[in-house]
Amino acid sequence: MWYAIWAEDRPDSLELRRQYRPEHLLRLHQLRDQGRLMLAGPLPAIDMDDPGEAGFTGSLIIAEFADRQEAQRWLDAEPYNIHGVYARTTLKPFRKTLP
């Protein structure tokens, strides 16, 4: 099943994001290579692809997991979660309809 992960950053998380980005991307690339990643990306704090020092407010990840428990284990091991980039996360089942 597909799951949507909506993660909200804590204030002033930009330096932590930068520090742990390689580990974060490695895990996303693993999902992609397994054919289990629909999309992933950050949520800029301002209306720009590169918000610079304004940073990001969170992330959206949609990936396939066997069940909610597997998705939660993956999220619990996410470097941005472990190292305090994310203040809150929401995990929900997702059903793709379009396109």
Side-chain angles (χ1 to χ4, degrees):
M1 169 134 223
W2 293 102
Y3 288 88
I5 297 168
W6 180 266
E8 297 176 62
D9 283 16
R10 72 174 180 94
D12 302 315
S13 62
L14 187 56
E15 288 307 315
L16 284 173
R17 267 187 172 271
R18 288 176 175 155
Q19 183 177 352
Y20 294 104
R21 188 170 189 261
E23 293 174 43
H24 168 74
L25 290 178
L26 176 65
R27 297 182 82 240
L28 292 173
H29 287 156
Q30 289 170 341
L31 286 175
R32 179 201 62 199
D33 293 348
Q34 295 166 358
R36 298 171 47 204
L37 184 65
M38 183 182 297
L39 66 85
L43 306 169
I46 59 176
D47 294 346
M48 298 183 74
D49 284 341
D50 181 357
E53 292 305 308
F56 300 91
T57 61
S59 301
L60 173 62
I61 301 165
I62 300 179
E64 186 176 33
F65 297 96
D67 54 34
R68 178 180 286 278
Q69 291 77 23
E70 181 188 5
Q72 187 63 58
R73 282 191 302 273
W74 187 91
L75 181 54
D76 290 344
E78 165 56 44
Y80 281 1
N81 208 16
I82 292 171
H83 297 290
V85 173
Y86 296 151
R88 281 177 298 288
T89 58
T90 302
L91 175 66
K92 297 214 177 231
F94 178 80
R95 189 183 79 181
K96 183 179 178 187
T97 302
L98 293 170

XYZ file of all heavy atoms in Angstrom:
817
model
N 0.847 -1.176 0.000
C 0.000 0.000 0.000
C 0.889 1.234 0.000
O 1.971 1.234 0.566
C -0.893 -0.026 1.237
C -1.632 1.237 1.522
S -3.346 0.907 1.911
C -4.137 2.186 1.000
N 0.378 2.274 -0.630
C 1.089 3.554 -0.619
C 0.761 4.296 0.676
O -0.367 4.228 1.176
C 0.647 4.410 -1.805
C 1.067 3.850 -3.120
C 0.288 3.172 -4.001
C 2.370 3.909 -3.707
N 1.026 2.809 -5.107
C 2.302 3.247 -4.951
C 3.586 4.458 -3.317
C 3.403 3.125 -5.791
C 4.684 4.333 -4.151
C 4.591 3.680 -5.372
N 1.759 5.024 1.184
C 1.578 5.844 2.376
C 2.143 7.223 2.111
O 3.206 7.369 1.496
C 2.275 5.227 3.593
C 1.555 4.008 4.091
C 1.846 2.750 3.564
C 0.560 4.103 5.039
C 1.159 1.625 3.976
C -0.135 2.973 5.467
C 0.176 1.750 4.934
O -0.519 0.638 5.344
N 1.407 8.232 2.587
C 1.869 9.614 2.515
C 2.450 9.988 3.868
O 1.829 9.756 4.909
C 0.713 10.541 2.160
N 3.638 10.551 3.816
C 4.295 11.055 5.023
C 4.359 12.566 4.892
O 4.980 13.088 3.954
C 5.713 10.470 5.173
C 5.645 8.953 5.338
C 6.438 11.140 6.336
C 6.983 8.246 5.218
N 3.682 13.250 5.775
C 3.698 14.713 5.839
C 4.516 15.056 7.069
O 4.144 14.709 8.190
C 2.268 15.245 5.966
C 2.197 16.730 6.040
C 2.154 17.483 7.183
C 2.160 17.647 4.950
N 2.087 18.814 6.854
C 2.089 18.942 5.485
C 2.174 17.494 3.570
C 2.038 20.077 4.703
C 2.122 18.634 2.789
C 2.054 19.901 3.341
N 5.647 15.680 6.866
C 6.541 16.006 7.973
C 6.703 17.519 8.073
O 6.942 18.187 7.067
C 7.899 15.346 7.756
N 6.560 18.039 9.278
C 6.713 19.467 9.521
C 8.022 19.708 10.260
O 8.290 19.071 11.282
C 5.546 19.985 10.346
C 4.204 19.847 9.639
C 3.065 20.278 10.517
O 3.031 21.469 10.905
O 2.221 19.422 10.823
N 8.815 20.629 9.725
C 10.103 20.953 10.345
C 9.926 21.751 11.631
O 8.971 22.513 11.774
C 10.953 21.805 9.399
C 11.592 21.007 8.286
O 11.166 19.862 8.050
O 12.511 21.547 7.648
N 10.879 21.587 12.504
C 10.928 22.465 13.670
C 11.480 23.811 13.201
O 12.127 23.875 12.142
C 11.791 21.863 14.768
C 13.269 21.870 14.474
C 14.056 21.376 15.697
N 15.464 21.373 15.431
C 16.282 22.377 15.726
N 15.831 23.466 16.291
N 17.567 22.294 15.451
N 11.264 24.880 13.931
C 11.846 26.167 13.540
C 13.369 26.076 13.468
O 13.995 25.320 14.218
C 11.406 27.112 14.665
C 10.203 26.458 15.270
C 10.432 24.980 15.123
N 13.955 26.824 12.582
C 15.415 26.903 12.452
C 16.067 25.544 12.191
O 17.115 25.227 12.753
C 16.033 27.554 13.696
C 15.473 28.943 13.950
O 15.359 29.717 12.978
O 15.136 29.249 15.102
N 15.471 24.768 11.312
C 15.969 23.419 11.033
C 16.939 23.365 9.850
O 17.475 22.299 9.546
C 14.794 22.480 10.746
O 14.097 22.919 9.587
N 17.192 24.487 9.192
C 17.946 24.463 7.935
C 19.331 23.844 8.082
O 19.738 23.023 7.262
C 18.049 25.875 7.341
C 18.677 25.957 5.952
C 17.940 25.076 4.945
C 18.727 27.406 5.479
N 20.070 24.199 9.109
C 21.416 23.637 9.278
C 21.366 22.132 9.504
O 22.208 21.397 8.982
C 22.174 24.347 10.394
C 22.609 25.748 10.019
C 23.388 25.815 8.701
O 24.293 24.978 8.490
O 23.061 26.684 7.869
N 20.402 21.665 10.288
C 20.255 20.219 10.494
C 19.874 19.534 9.187
O 20.369 18.442 8.884
C 19.200 19.923 11.557
C 19.614 20.161 12.998
C 18.434 19.985 13.931
C 20.762 19.235 13.397
N 19.001 20.156 8.403
C 18.641 19.602 7.087
C 19.883 19.428 6.233
O 20.073 18.389 5.609
C 17.671 20.539 6.351
C 16.240 20.233 6.542
C 15.393 21.111 5.633
N 14.027 20.660 5.703
C 13.511 19.727 4.931
N 14.221 19.159 3.990
N 12.263 19.348 5.086
N 20.684 20.457 6.189
C 21.912 20.394 5.382
C 22.838 19.291 5.878
O 23.430 18.557 5.090
C 22.624 21.745 5.417
C 21.911 22.812 4.622
C 22.583 24.151 4.768
N 21.960 25.151 3.914
C 21.984 26.448 4.153
N 22.607 26.927 5.224
N 21.391 27.289 3.326
N 22.982 19.186 7.170
C 23.902 18.207 7.752
C 23.478 16.770 7.461
O 24.311 15.923 7.140
C 23.981 18.425 9.261
C 24.950 17.510 9.963
C 25.054 17.818 11.445
O 24.527 18.809 11.945
N 25.738 16.962 12.164
N 22.188 16.478 7.563
C 21.710 15.094 7.437
C 21.112 14.778 6.076
O 20.622 13.667 5.856
C 20.731 14.768 8.574
C 21.450 14.784 9.895
C 21.317 15.847 10.772
C 22.329 13.761 10.226
C 22.015 15.877 11.969
C 23.034 13.781 11.411
C 22.873 14.835 12.279
O 23.587 14.873 13.448
N 21.185 15.713 5.137
C 20.610 15.505 3.803
C 21.196 14.280 3.085
O 20.440 13.507 2.486
C 20.781 16.761 2.951
C 20.041 16.673 1.631
C 20.025 18.039 0.923
N 19.140 18.015 -0.223
C 19.539 17.844 -1.468
N 20.824 17.704 -1.740
N 18.667 17.819 -2.453
N 22.522 14.057 3.101
C 23.039 12.870 2.402
C 22.421 11.560 2.909
O 22.062 10.692 2.109
C 24.546 12.925 2.669
C 24.827 14.381 2.880
C 23.618 14.894 3.618
N 22.256 11.422 4.226
C 21.646 10.206 4.782
C 20.169 10.105 4.383
O 19.677 9.022 4.048
C 21.742 10.214 6.304
C 23.149 10.110 6.844
C 23.171 10.274 8.349
O 22.307 9.690 9.041
O 24.058 10.998 8.835
N 19.497 11.232 4.433
C 18.079 11.303 4.058
C 17.898 10.882 2.592
O 17.059 10.029 2.282
C 17.606 12.739 4.299
C 16.281 13.089 3.721
N 15.085 12.654 4.253
C 15.961 13.880 2.658
C 14.088 13.147 3.540
N 14.580 13.891 2.561
N 18.713 11.444 1.700
C 18.607 11.120 0.278
C 18.970 9.668 -0.007
O 18.370 9.039 -0.881
C 19.489 12.053 -0.547
C 19.018 13.503 -0.636
C 20.013 14.327 -1.439
C 17.628 13.598 -1.231
N 19.942 9.124 0.701
C 20.316 7.719 0.520
C 19.116 6.807 0.744
O 18.843 5.902 -0.048
C 21.460 7.351 1.459
C 21.891 5.888 1.430
C 22.486 5.526 0.068
C 22.892 5.607 2.540
N 18.356 7.057 1.796
C 17.191 6.229 2.094
C 16.104 6.387 1.022
O 15.450 5.428 0.631
C 16.645 6.552 3.472
C 17.688 6.234 4.545
C 17.187 6.495 5.932
N 16.397 5.339 6.337
C 15.115 5.390 6.669
N 14.454 6.509 6.640
N 14.463 4.304 7.027
N 15.927 7.621 0.547
C 14.943 7.845 -0.512
C 15.381 7.174 -1.809
O 14.561 6.581 -2.516
C 14.722 9.342 -0.734
C 14.024 10.068 0.411
C 14.019 11.564 0.153
C 12.607 9.538 0.618
N 16.672 7.232 -2.114
C 17.185 6.556 -3.317
C 16.991 5.045 -3.217
O 16.705 4.387 -4.227
C 18.657 6.892 -3.543
C 18.860 8.286 -4.034
N 20.039 8.968 -3.849
C 18.047 9.146 -4.682
C 19.943 10.170 -4.378
N 18.737 10.297 -4.887
N 17.122 4.488 -2.023
C 16.891 3.057 -1.845
C 15.442 2.699 -2.165
O 15.181 1.709 -2.863
C 17.247 2.627 -0.418
C 18.729 2.653 -0.152
C 19.069 2.470 1.325
O 18.237 2.654 2.208
N 20.319 2.124 1.588
N 14.507 3.508 -1.664
C 13.095 3.272 -2.004
C 12.878 3.382 -3.505
O 12.179 2.568 -4.109
C 12.195 4.271 -1.274
C 11.978 4.071 0.218
C 11.170 5.229 0.782
C 11.296 2.745 0.506
N 13.454 4.418 -4.106
C 13.319 4.617 -5.558
C 13.863 3.413 -6.321
O 13.216 2.895 -7.229
C 14.066 5.875 -5.988
C 13.987 6.135 -7.493
C 15.073 7.024 -7.995
N 16.363 6.393 -7.762
C 17.516 7.038 -7.746
N 17.565 8.334 -7.934
N 18.652 6.396 -7.540
N 15.043 2.949 -5.941
C 15.675 1.829 -6.636
C 14.872 0.542 -6.498
O 14.962 -0.342 -7.347
C 17.106 1.630 -6.131
C 18.016 2.798 -6.501
O 17.626 3.654 -7.327
O 19.125 2.870 -5.919
N 14.096 0.435 -5.432
C 13.233 -0.728 -5.217
C 11.868 -0.544 -5.899
O 11.008 -1.416 -5.798
C 13.018 -0.943 -3.714
C 14.276 -1.299 -2.971
C 14.103 -1.177 -1.454
O 13.057 -0.796 -0.935
N 15.165 -1.488 -0.725
N 11.661 0.595 -6.563
C 10.394 0.869 -7.222
C 9.273 1.210 -6.259
O 8.099 1.062 -6.590
N 9.622 1.703 -5.058
C 8.635 1.950 -4.009
C 8.440 3.431 -3.696
O 7.734 3.766 -2.754
C 9.057 1.207 -2.746
C 9.108 -0.285 -2.936
C 9.727 -1.017 -1.761
N 9.198 -0.563 -0.496
C 9.857 -0.673 0.654
N 11.062 -1.204 0.708
N 9.316 -0.243 1.770
N 9.051 4.316 -4.469
C 8.924 5.750 -4.211
C 8.112 6.403 -5.316
O 8.492 6.351 -6.491
C 10.304 6.402 -4.125
C 10.308 7.886 -3.775
C 9.772 8.121 -2.373
C 11.719 8.441 -3.901
N 6.984 6.993 -4.955
C 6.166 7.718 -5.922
C 6.684 9.139 -6.067
O 6.846 9.641 -7.172
C 4.702 7.742 -5.490
C 3.792 8.432 -6.498
S 2.064 8.510 -5.965
C 1.630 6.773 -5.872
N 6.929 9.800 -4.935
C 7.465 11.158 -4.967
C 8.016 11.518 -3.605
O 7.653 10.926 -2.591
C 6.406 12.175 -5.421
C 5.197 12.418 -4.535
C 5.480 13.452 -3.456
C 4.046 12.911 -5.385
N 8.895 12.482 -3.606
C 9.450 12.996 -2.358
C 10.012 14.382 -2.627
O 10.562 14.633 -3.701
C 10.559 12.079 -1.840
N 9.850 15.253 -1.678
C 10.423 16.576 -1.827
C 10.153 17.451 -0.621
O 9.260 17.183 0.176
N 10.949 18.523 -0.513
C 10.785 19.460 0.594
C 9.702 20.489 0.288
O 9.313 20.683 -0.865
C 12.156 20.128 0.675
C 12.630 20.139 -0.736
C 12.106 18.856 -1.339
N 9.250 21.146 1.332
C 8.243 22.200 1.234
C 8.940 23.530 1.520
O 9.224 23.847 2.679
C 7.120 21.941 2.246
C 6.472 20.549 2.163
C 5.565 20.307 3.361
C 5.730 20.377 0.867
N 9.256 24.306 0.481
C 9.957 25.574 0.692
C 9.145 26.533 1.568
O 7.917 26.583 1.485
C 10.123 26.139 -0.719
C 10.008 24.955 -1.622
C 9.038 24.036 -0.937
N 9.859 27.307 2.374
C 9.208 28.267 3.267
C 8.662 29.475 2.504
O 7.781 30.171 2.999
C 10.192 28.726 4.339
N 9.195 29.711 1.310
C 8.716 30.801 0.466
C 8.470 30.249 -0.937
O 8.913 29.154 -1.264
C 9.702 31.994 0.434
C 11.070 31.547 -0.078
C 9.805 32.646 1.803
C 12.089 32.671 -0.231
N 7.798 31.009 -1.768
C 7.413 30.543 -3.105
C 8.580 30.582 -4.081
O 8.580 31.355 -5.041
C 6.249 31.377 -3.645
C 4.970 31.183 -2.859
O 4.901 30.232 -2.071
O 4.046 31.980 -3.051
N 9.567 29.738 -3.820
C 10.739 29.618 -4.692
C 11.253 28.187 -4.607
O 11.207 27.580 -3.536
C 11.840 30.587 -4.263
C 11.448 32.053 -4.355
S 12.812 33.133 -3.919
C 13.816 32.962 -5.392
N 11.755 27.672 -5.737
C 12.348 26.334 -5.718
C 13.519 26.270 -4.746
O 13.701 25.280 -4.050
C 12.818 25.924 -7.114
C 11.668 25.528 -8.020
O 10.569 25.223 -7.507
O 11.872 25.525 -9.240
N 14.346 27.311 -4.760
C 15.475 27.398 -3.837
C 15.216 28.562 -2.885
O 15.460 29.713 -3.227
C 16.786 27.614 -4.591
C 17.982 27.678 -3.661
O 17.803 27.623 -2.417
O 19.107 27.800 -4.176
N 14.714 28.274 -1.691
C 14.348 29.347 -0.773
C 15.530 29.970 -0.033
O 15.337 30.858 0.783
C 13.414 28.649 0.207
C 13.923 27.246 0.247
C 14.381 26.964 -1.165
N 16.736 29.485 -0.319
C 17.909 30.040 0.347
C 17.806 29.915 1.856
O 17.382 28.891 2.385
N 18.159 30.962 2.545
C 18.182 30.930 4.007
C 16.791 30.903 4.626
O 16.655 30.660 5.822
C 18.987 32.110 4.546
C 20.477 32.020 4.228
C 21.116 30.718 4.710
O 20.955 30.370 5.901
O 21.772 30.040 3.880
N 15.737 31.126 3.825
C 14.373 30.997 4.357
C 14.089 29.547 4.726
O 13.278 29.252 5.597
C 13.350 31.498 3.351
N 14.775 28.624 4.039
C 14.666 27.205 4.374
C 13.377 26.551 3.947
O 12.738 26.957 2.978
N 13.008 25.546 4.703
C 11.878 24.695 4.371
C 10.978 24.530 5.587
O 11.423 24.682 6.723
C 12.381 23.318 3.897
C 13.262 23.419 2.681
C 14.623 23.560 2.789
C 12.698 23.405 1.415
C 15.439 23.681 1.670
C 13.495 23.533 0.285
C 14.868 23.666 0.412
N 9.732 24.208 5.325
C 8.779 24.006 6.419
C 8.484 22.531 6.661
O 7.803 22.191 7.618
C 7.451 24.733 6.143
O 6.871 24.201 4.950
C 7.680 26.228 5.991
N 8.988 21.670 5.798
C 8.734 20.254 5.969
C 9.015 19.471 4.708
O 9.701 19.949 3.805
N 8.463 18.272 4.659
C 8.670 17.355 3.535
C 7.389 16.584 3.257
O 6.579 16.364 4.156
C 9.764 16.332 3.861
O 10.988 16.930 4.157
N 7.267 16.140 2.011
C 6.201 15.224 1.611
C 6.853 14.038 0.924
O 7.653 14.211 0.006
C 5.215 15.910 0.660
C 4.139 15.013 0.038
C 3.250 14.408 1.121
C 3.322 15.782 -0.971
N 6.514 12.849 1.396
C 7.037 11.605 0.827
C 5.851 10.676 0.603
O 5.031 10.491 1.516
C 8.054 10.930 1.777
C 9.233 11.859 2.056
C 8.516 9.587 1.214
C 10.092 11.439 3.239
N 5.747 10.111 -0.578
C 4.743 9.076 -0.833
C 5.493 7.840 -1.306
O 6.185 7.873 -2.339
C 3.691 9.522 -1.864
C 2.970 10.772 -1.360
C 2.696 8.378 -2.120
C 1.930 11.326 -2.295
N 5.380 6.786 -0.524
C 6.140 5.567 -0.797
C 5.287 4.349 -0.464
O 4.313 4.428 0.283
C 7.426 5.553 0.024
N 5.700 3.229 -1.030
C 4.971 1.976 -0.848
C 5.620 1.146 0.257
O 6.840 0.954 0.281
C 4.976 1.195 -2.158
C 4.124 -0.038 -2.125
C 4.083 -0.723 -3.475
O 5.090 -0.683 -4.209
O 3.036 -1.310 -3.795
N 4.767 0.654 1.155
C 5.205 -0.216 2.243
C 4.210 -1.365 2.371
O 3.052 -1.238 1.958
C 5.270 0.555 3.565
C 6.279 1.674 3.550
C 5.882 2.969 3.260
C 7.620 1.434 3.797
C 6.800 4.014 3.229
C 8.544 2.472 3.765
C 8.139 3.759 3.483
N 4.649 -2.455 2.948
C 3.777 -3.628 3.092
C 2.564 -3.312 3.962
O 1.467 -3.794 3.697
C 4.566 -4.792 3.685
N 2.785 -2.504 4.997
C 1.703 -2.148 5.910
C 2.114 -0.915 6.709
O 3.232 -0.410 6.576
C 1.341 -3.317 6.832
C 2.538 -3.880 7.589
O 3.459 -3.109 7.956
O 2.566 -5.094 7.812
N 1.202 -0.437 7.542
C 1.451 0.766 8.336
C 2.655 0.584 9.273
O 3.430 1.517 9.472
C 0.210 1.139 9.145
C 0.423 2.360 10.025
C -0.829 2.706 10.817
N -1.845 3.303 10.002
C -1.888 4.589 9.667
N -0.940 5.396 10.055
N -2.864 5.051 8.936
N 2.797 -0.582 9.831
C 3.909 -0.826 10.750
C 5.256 -0.666 10.042
O 6.192 -0.075 10.594
C 3.796 -2.211 11.404
C 2.647 -2.341 12.379
C 1.292 -2.498 11.702
O 1.190 -2.931 10.546
N 0.235 -2.128 12.402
N 5.370 -1.193 8.829
C 6.608 -1.044 8.076
C 6.860 0.426 7.745
O 7.987 0.910 7.856
C 6.587 -1.869 6.787
C 7.892 -1.741 6.015
C 7.855 -2.387 4.639
O 6.801 -2.878 4.197
O 8.915 -2.359 3.986
N 5.806 1.127 7.360
C 5.940 2.553 7.052
C 6.381 3.319 8.291
O 7.260 4.189 8.221
C 4.623 3.104 6.522
N 5.816 2.996 9.440
C 6.187 3.683 10.676
C 7.625 3.380 11.072
O 8.352 4.275 11.515
C 5.226 3.308 11.814
C 5.449 4.116 13.076
C 5.184 5.587 12.865
O 4.093 5.968 12.476
N 6.176 6.439 13.132
N 8.056 2.135 10.894
C 9.452 1.788 11.191
C 10.404 2.576 10.293
O 11.447 3.058 10.738
C 9.688 0.284 11.033
C 9.189 -0.528 12.197
C 9.670 -1.970 12.147
N 9.283 -2.675 10.930
C 8.134 -3.321 10.762
N 7.245 -3.352 11.735
N 7.878 -3.948 9.633
N 10.046 2.693 9.005
C 10.875 3.463 8.077
C 10.946 4.922 8.530
O 12.020 5.511 8.575
C 10.314 3.363 6.653
C 11.209 3.986 5.641
C 12.201 3.352 4.931
C 11.238 5.362 5.233
N 12.833 4.265 4.113
C 12.265 5.498 4.281
C 10.505 6.476 5.583
C 12.571 6.709 3.671
C 10.801 7.698 4.984
C 11.826 7.797 4.043
N 9.808 5.482 8.891
C 9.761 6.871 9.335
C 10.530 7.060 10.642
O 11.246 8.052 10.807
C 8.310 7.313 9.493
C 8.056 8.750 9.939
C 8.766 9.756 9.032
C 6.565 9.012 10.000
N 10.426 6.118 11.550
C 11.150 6.211 12.825
C 12.660 6.216 12.620
O 13.396 6.800 13.413
C 10.772 5.049 13.747
C 9.353 5.148 14.280
O 8.745 6.240 14.201
O 8.841 4.118 14.769
N 13.128 5.571 11.544
C 14.565 5.493 11.254
C 15.038 6.609 10.321
O 16.226 6.664 9.983
C 14.899 4.129 10.644
N 14.141 7.487 9.902
C 14.480 8.582 8.993
C 15.429 9.563 9.692
O 15.126 10.054 10.790
C 13.185 9.282 8.560
C 13.344 10.622 7.920
C 14.260 10.627 6.713
O 14.167 9.718 5.863
O 15.085 11.545 6.626
N 16.594 9.847 9.098
C 17.563 10.740 9.738
C 16.986 12.103 10.121
O 17.326 12.632 11.187
C 18.669 10.882 8.698
C 18.599 9.615 7.907
C 17.137 9.266 7.860
N 16.133 12.672 9.291
C 15.539 13.966 9.649
C 14.656 13.839 10.887
O 14.519 14.781 11.659
C 14.727 14.526 8.486
C 15.527 15.178 7.392
C 16.921 15.261 7.423
C 14.881 15.729 6.296
C 17.631 15.866 6.405
C 15.582 16.345 5.272
C 16.959 16.411 5.328
O 17.658 17.023 4.322
N 14.066 12.692 11.081
C 13.246 12.449 12.270
C 14.139 12.224 13.488
O 13.929 12.839 14.538
C 12.355 11.230 12.019
C 11.066 11.272 12.788
O 10.661 12.304 13.288
N 10.410 10.142 12.871
N 15.137 11.387 13.345
C 16.041 11.053 14.458
C 16.774 12.283 14.972
O 16.932 12.462 16.184
C 17.059 9.980 14.014
C 16.367 8.649 13.774
C 18.175 9.827 15.034
C 17.247 7.601 13.123
N 17.233 13.138 14.060
C 18.106 14.252 14.434
C 17.372 15.578 14.647
O 18.005 16.622 14.757
C 19.212 14.410 13.397
C 20.101 13.212 13.339
N 20.986 12.868 14.339
C 20.213 12.233 12.400
C 21.619 11.760 14.024
N 21.164 11.347 12.850
N 16.048 15.535 14.708
C 15.297 16.703 15.126
C 14.958 17.729 14.065
O 14.566 18.842 14.398
N 15.108 17.378 12.797
C 14.655 18.292 11.743
C 13.128 18.379 11.801
O 12.553 19.471 11.783
C 15.118 17.832 10.351
C 14.488 18.687 9.255
C 16.636 17.861 10.250
N 12.488 17.227 11.904
C 11.037 17.176 11.933
C 10.519 17.372 13.357
O 10.958 16.700 14.297
C 10.516 15.834 11.416
C 10.813 15.543 9.969
C 10.962 14.228 9.538
C 10.941 16.547 9.026
C 11.206 13.930 8.202
C 11.191 16.252 7.686
C 11.327 14.951 7.293
O 11.571 14.655 5.969
N 9.558 18.277 13.498
C 8.885 18.474 14.780
C 7.679 17.547 14.904
O 7.371 17.061 15.986
C 8.436 19.926 14.919
N 7.003 17.321 13.763
C 5.806 16.484 13.724
C 5.764 15.721 12.411
O 6.164 16.257 11.373
C 4.541 17.339 13.801
C 4.176 17.823 15.164
C 2.956 18.730 15.144
N 3.137 19.958 14.368
C 3.892 20.982 14.741
N 4.571 20.925 15.856
N 3.983 22.068 13.990
N 5.238 14.516 12.489
C 5.030 13.740 11.266
C 3.630 13.142 11.295
O 3.097 12.821 12.358
C 6.063 12.606 11.111
O 5.984 11.739 12.239
C 7.477 13.156 10.972
N 3.063 13.017 10.110
C 1.762 12.379 9.951
C 1.906 11.308 8.883
O 2.469 11.558 7.820
C 0.699 13.406 9.511
O 0.643 14.451 10.484
C -0.662 12.769 9.363
N 1.424 10.133 9.180
C 1.492 8.991 8.269
C 0.073 8.563 7.941
O -0.715 8.273 8.849
C 2.259 7.848 8.944
C 2.335 6.526 8.215
C 3.153 6.663 6.937
C 2.938 5.467 9.123
N -0.247 8.547 6.658
C -1.603 8.175 6.239
C -1.541 7.272 5.015
O -0.691 7.453 4.150
C -2.398 9.416 5.871
C -2.603 10.348 7.043
C -3.920 11.022 6.940
C -4.109 11.887 8.151
N -5.352 11.645 8.789
N -2.477 6.324 4.910
C -2.581 5.545 3.681
C -2.928 6.485 2.527
O -3.593 7.501 2.724
C -3.741 4.578 3.938
C -4.009 4.642 5.393
C -3.482 5.936 5.888
N -2.465 6.120 1.344
C -2.672 6.964 0.168
C -3.103 6.086 -0.997
O -2.501 5.044 -1.246
C -1.382 7.699 -0.186
C -1.470 8.559 -1.418
C -2.048 9.807 -1.360
C -0.984 8.097 -2.629
C -2.130 10.601 -2.490
C -1.075 8.879 -3.763
C -1.638 10.146 -3.714
N -4.127 6.520 -1.696
C -4.580 5.811 -2.890
C -4.442 6.743 -4.091
O -5.133 7.765 -4.177
C -6.022 5.351 -2.765
C -6.412 4.423 -3.913
C -7.836 4.031 -3.843
N -8.631 5.146 -4.363
C -9.930 5.169 -4.431
N -10.627 4.147 -3.984
N -10.577 6.202 -4.922
N -3.574 6.408 -5.001
C -3.383 7.229 -6.191
C -4.582 7.054 -7.109
O -4.977 5.933 -7.433
C -2.104 6.824 -6.925
C -1.841 7.692 -8.125
C -0.562 7.313 -8.835
C -0.402 8.197 -10.060
N 0.703 7.825 -10.894
N -5.123 8.178 -7.551
C -6.242 8.164 -8.483
C -5.837 8.742 -9.827
O -6.116 8.162 -10.868
C -7.441 8.945 -7.905
O -7.801 8.367 -6.659
C -8.626 8.908 -8.839
N -5.171 9.892 -9.833
C -4.745 10.545 -11.071
C -3.305 11.000 -10.948
O -2.874 11.325 -9.855
C -5.628 11.759 -11.368
C -7.081 11.477 -11.705
C -7.867 12.774 -11.736
C -7.190 10.755 -13.029
N -2.563 11.209 -11.955
C -2.828 10.783 -13.309
C -2.663 9.286 -13.440
O -1.992 8.634 -12.745
C -1.793 11.543 -14.146
C -0.652 11.774 -13.221
C -1.275 11.858 -11.862
